[in-house]
Structure formats: structure tokens, C-alpha cells
Amino acid sequence: MDPGSKVCVLAERLFGVSFTEQGMGKLLRRMDFSFQRPDKRAYAPHLNPDELVNADLKRTLADQVFTDRTQLERSVRAFFHRIQKLPDHVLGYFQAPHTKYAGSINSLDQERLLSVRRCV
């Protein structure tokens, strides 16, 4: 399915209006839009709670010197074992202003999350 027909399908689903590809093209050009495909998938790391965890891990390990892989693995595991015992800290990754979308959970799910203990 080419981009033009995808836009037509989307317009029909969202707004209940149908256009031919040519009609949609005219409408979009009138509004200064055009059919374009991105060069690569968009990724916004600042919106991803995982990136907050990674940043926290990097800050924790920043002052340490590792002489072998085993030491590094041990420190990373220690970090995650420490974090898993701090459920409020974990929830904080999802409550930052830019990551709240990922943490929209109801209170029942939040209680389950707080009671879960996983081994890393």
C-alpha cells in the first residue's frame, strides 16, 4: 500500500470522509503537505523511560573502574537489585513529565507493580 492510499484510509477512519488518492493529494498540497516517507524510523529517547534507567545506571557506574567484564556485570546486577527494592524510585521513571504517557496505570496495577519482586 503506497503512502497516498494509507492517508486516504486514515482520513476515512478518523473523520469518516473518503477521498481518491488524487483528491487527497490536491487537498494536502493545498495545505502545504506532501506524501513523504521518513529516511528512518523516528526515535525519541528522551520520551523513553528505559533511557532514564540507563542514565541512572551510567551515573552510578561513572566513578568506578572496571578491570574485567565480570566486575562490570557484578556492578550492573547490584544496581538493578538495589533499584528493585525501591518501587517508588522505579515508578519515578514513569512519572517524569515527559514519560508520564508510559506510566498511565490504574491504582490496582500500581499496587501489583509495587508488590512485584524480580530477580535480575
Side-chain angles (χ1 to χ4, degrees):
M1 185 180 282
D2 66 24
S5 59
K6 288 180 183 179
V7 173
C8 292
V9 169
L10 184 63
E12 189 166 359
R13 283 185 190 162
L14 293 176
F15 307 110
V17 294
S18 59
F19 289 93
T20 63
E21 286 184 45
Q22 185 179 21
M24 180 59 77
K26 285 180 182 178
L27 176 66
L28 291 174
R29 279 190 294 281
R30 226 179 290 146
M31 296 169 58
D32 289 328
F33 289 104
S34 63
F35 297 123
Q36 296 178 353
R37 281 205 167 144
D39 291 335
K40 56 184 174 180
R41 282 190 90 129
Y43 177 65
H46 64 285
L47 300 177
N48 189 344
D50 289 348
E51 297 298 339
L52 295 177
V53 177
N54 293 341
D56 209 3
L57 174 62
K58 288 177 186 177
R59 274 191 302 276
T60 302
L61 302 180
D63 296 331
Q64 298 180 32
V65 177
F66 303 103
T67 56
D68 63 11
R69 183 182 174 123
T70 306
Q71 283 183 324
L72 175 63
E73 287 177 0
R74 200 172 298 133
S75 293
V76 170
R77 287 182 188 279
F79 167 80
F80 283 110
H81 282 291
R82 192 169 49 255
I83 293 297
Q84 80 179 19
K85 295 175 185 167
L86 304 169
D88 290 332
H89 190 84
V90 172
L91 284 174
Y93 296 131
F94 297 93
Q95 293 172 344
H98 54 283
T99 60
K100 275 190 174 182
Y101 76 94
S104 55
I105 56 176
N106 63 38
S107 58
L108 179 61
D109 288 337
Q110 189 169 359
E111 286 301 316
R112 284 187 197 142
L113 180 62
L114 291 173
S115 67
V116 169
R117 297 284 188 250
R118 287 189 177 168
C119 295
V120 177

